[in-house]
Amino acid sequence: MINKVVKNANEAVKDVPDNAVLMLGGFGLCGIPENSIQGLLDTKVKGLTCISNNAGVDDFGIGLLLKTHQVKKMISSYVGENAEFERQLLSGELDVELIPQGTLAERVRAGGAGIPAFYTPAGFGTEVAEGKETREFDGKMYLLEKGLVADFALVKAWKGDTAGNLIFKGTARNFNPMMAAAGKITIAEVEELVPAGELNPNEIHTPGIYVQRIFEGKNYEKRIEQRTVRS
Amino acid sequence: MALDKIGIAKRIAQEVQDGMYINLGIGIPTLVANYIPDALDVVLQSENGLLGIGQFPTEDEVDADLINAGKQTITMRDGSVLFDSSESFAMIRGGHVDLTILGAMEVSENGDISNWKIPGKMVKGMGGAMDLVASAKNIIVAMQHTSRSGESKLLKECSLPITGLQCVRKIVTNLAVLEVQDGGGFKLLERAPGVSVDEIKEATAGKLIVEGDVAEMKID
């Protein structure tokens, strides 16, 4: 098996260049690549385009990269959980493209699967459709949406092996598997890294062919945005 | 008397049928889960990748890797399944979810819905709303009949940016239950307890269709 292990986040992201297009897994703060984000903070790379469902909060997740002005553009479905994001958007420092969540997921899936474009009904008749080709199938209208790929995909899994195979936990899976496939270079950080052969092949979610670099992350905070409990 | 949010949630819960797969939006729709009769077996879908949302966790059960689409911590019921976001929206787009309940800022008399953006204010994004309204077989809107400033939210045409066209079937407000008719118009099905047809007419800017006696809602 090809060994894809790198030492840590700093080694994994050291060659991410200025103006790179990145995909970052996660839904809210659930399943985000915490270590790789810290790695990007350390390299101080600039002008990033970040494709991610959300944009983090003021002091965590992608919000940290916004604070340091390393992000030029966000491509997301739901943003605005943080004040600094809003300030940069309103002042014109940050470019934002909003995409329906299912369209974003499918554009990433298509990109990784070699599908250049597909039709979806989401957004027909709305401003999302502006400038896009539309077509009727069986009496219903659809929009043509293009697949998305990225220079680097930064994903987070629960367990992984030295061959790059990944297993996710709970709802931390979200956008991570599709992004792994859509990155030219995919960097996976995992909570537990094991030798190839130790994961049950029946239970692997993301095949290692999609993953170029893998490392065991550390100090996971796994912040919760809306801690809700019953008494 | 007009219903409060819990009253709206209780009335919508009466629309739920045994065996349904249901997606609940954020806000009043989330409350609906609390009032679905125990005798009904339904499965709640969370678009971030779960079928089978359970109750909120106890302190000991809280797991940062298990949240709903509103980013609240949750638990899973027996028989739950986890999946990625593209699978989740394949279920939604493919018409496999039986019922979608969501909030709205405005609904038009032909079933258009606006619920994602107010121009000039901070834009947070549409999340999964556009995908849901474009593909759901059955959409029920939960909302107040009028805005805080007293303007009707049931209009001839939506004034705010559209989320989806001709997709809303039923609307449950603090005043009434209404059904969008083919060809346009809100048919008044039920009144909130003690609310008159005239009060509902007054609060509805779009075409209101009233036929015969309109029953009062029955809410426990």
Side-chain angles (χ1 to χ4, degrees):
Chain A
M1 279 286 164
I2 305 164
N3 189 333
K4 297 172 178 179
V5 178
V6 294
K7 203 166 55 198
N8 54 29
N10 292 74
E11 188 184 337
V13 305
K14 68 180 181 200
D15 58 347
V16 174
D18 286 350
N19 303 308
V21 175
L22 308 184
M23 285 180 182
L24 297 99
F27 183 100
L29 299 178
C30 183
I32 62 171
E34 294 184 19
N35 279 232
S36 291
I37 289 171
Q38 185 57 50
L40 295 170
L41 289 167
D42 293 343
T43 67
K44 300 185 168 61
V45 58
K46 293 246 182 305
L48 299 172
T49 293
C50 293
I51 302 169
S52 177
N53 189 54
N54 312 92
V57 296
D58 265 329
D59 57 352
F60 206 57
I62 294 173
L64 297 169
L65 294 168
L66 289 165
K67 200 181 272 179
T68 50
H69 301 272
Q70 290 174 261
V71 182
K72 175 176 69 179
K73 181 173 183 179
M74 283 301 312
I75 299 177
S76 303
S77 89
Y78 192 83
V79 294
E81 306 280 11
N82 66 63
E84 177 62 14
F85 177 95
E86 183 172 352
R87 194 196 63 70
Q88 290 186 22
L89 176 61
L90 295 174
S91 70
E93 293 164 63
L94 183 68
D95 188 11
V96 176
E97 184 180 337
L98 294 170
I99 298 177
Q101 195 175 129
T103 298
L104 178 62
E106 192 62 14
R107 287 183 69 184
V108 174
R109 197 200 69 80
I115 307 281
F118 59 92
Y119 286 100
T120 178
F124 177 77
T126 76
E127 57 190 64
V128 166
E130 285 170 15
K132 288 178 185 155
E133 187 184 322
T134 59
R135 186 163 161 186
E136 185 182 323
F137 294 93
D138 297 327
K140 184 165 173 166
M141 293 303 295
Y142 296 80
L143 294 183
L144 187 69
E145 294 280 5
K146 291 180 181 165
L148 282 170
V149 292
D151 300 320
F152 290 83
L154 311 180
V155 304
K156 152 79 181 24
W158 179 38
K159 292 179 183 173
D161 68 18
T162 51
N165 298 306
L166 305 176
I167 296 176
F168 302 93
K169 175 168 163 270
T171 53
R173 195 182 318 179
N174 53 64
F175 284 80
N176 282 298
M178 297 89 72
M179 289 184 170
K184 285 175 204 150
I185 294 175
T186 290
I187 297 166
E189 56 178 273
V190 299
E191 288 175 57
E192 185 184 351
L193 181 63
V194 300
E198 286 202 11
L199 297 180
N200 180 343
N202 290 298
E203 294 172 353
I204 290 167
H205 297 124
T206 290
I209 189 170
Y210 299 126
V211 174
Q212 281 69 44
R213 301 172 191 172
I214 189 166
F215 65 93
E216 189 170 281
K218 56 184 185 192
N219 304 328
Y220 281 105
E221 268 194 56
K222 294 198 187 180
R223 249 190 238 187
I224 294 171
E225 282 180 79
Q226 305 285 341
R227 175 182 285 267
T228 309
V229 295
R230 70 175 194 273
S231 45
Chain B
M1 206 178 83
L3 301 178
D4 57 12
K5 287 180 181 178
I6 288 171
I8 296 173
K10 284 181 172 175
R11 177 59 192 81
I12 291 178
Q14 296 172 12
E15 301 289 317
V16 171
Q17 292 166 22
D18 195 39
M20 277 183 162
Y21 287 92
I22 305 173
N23 181 288
L24 300 177
I26 294 163
I28 298 175
T30 305
L31 296 175
V32 172
N34 301 336
Y35 304 104
I36 297 172
D38 289 339
L40 300 186
D41 211 348
V42 300
V43 180
L44 302 180
Q45 201 247 19
S46 194
E47 64 261 30
N48 54 323
L50 168 65
L51 271 172
I53 303 173
Q55 51 189 342
F56 292 121
T58 61
E59 276 297 343
D60 291 344
E61 290 170 334
V62 166
D63 179 352
D65 291 325
L66 202 56
I67 62 169
N68 64 18
K71 290 148 191 153
Q72 294 171 304
T73 44
I74 48 166
T75 59
M76 292 187 283
R77 288 185 7 168
D78 287 350
S80 284
V81 57
L82 297 154
F83 35 85
D84 65 46
S85 298
S86 93
E87 181 90 54
S88 177
F89 282 92
M91 286 170 202
I92 291 167
R93 216 183 289 106
H96 304 280
V97 175
D98 299 302
L99 177 63
T100 293
I101 302 169
L102 74 181
M105 296 170 185
E106 295 176 347
V107 177
S108 81
E109 63 186 36
N110 65 356
D112 298 349
I113 179 172
S114 298
N115 71 351
W116 77 282
K117 182 178 184 182
I118 301 175
K121 292 207 176 167
M122 176 55 193
V123 178
K124 290 184 185 292
M126 65 292 279
M130 285 190 182
D131 310 270
L132 281 159
V133 301
S135 299
K137 286 182 283 194
N138 187 4
I139 297 175
I140 300 179
V141 163
M143 68 175 188
Q144 302 298 322
H145 211 99
T146 54
S147 68
R148 284 200 187 91
S149 57
E151 303 284 327
S152 180
K153 297 168 73 171
L154 290 100
L155 307 171
K156 182 167 174 45
E157 287 177 4
C158 292
S159 65
L160 294 168
I162 294 285
T163 307
L165 298 175
Q166 297 181 34
C167 52
V168 176
R169 283 269 196 86
K170 207 172 248 188
I171 305 146
V172 178
T173 74
N174 53 328
L175 303 182
V177 180
L178 310 108
E179 190 175 60
V180 174
Q181 299 294 287
D182 291 337
F186 300 106
K187 183 174 178 185
L188 184 57
L189 299 183
E190 294 174 27
R191 300 173 286 119
V195 172
S196 70
V197 170
D198 283 341
E199 284 172 76
I200 295 164
K201 271 185 188 159
E202 182 68 27
T204 307
K207 180 177 167 190
L208 187 72
I209 299 166
V210 184
E211 288 174 358
D213 285 337
V214 178
E216 256 188 22
M217 296 181 208
K218 290 186 178 63
I219 291 172
D220 301 330

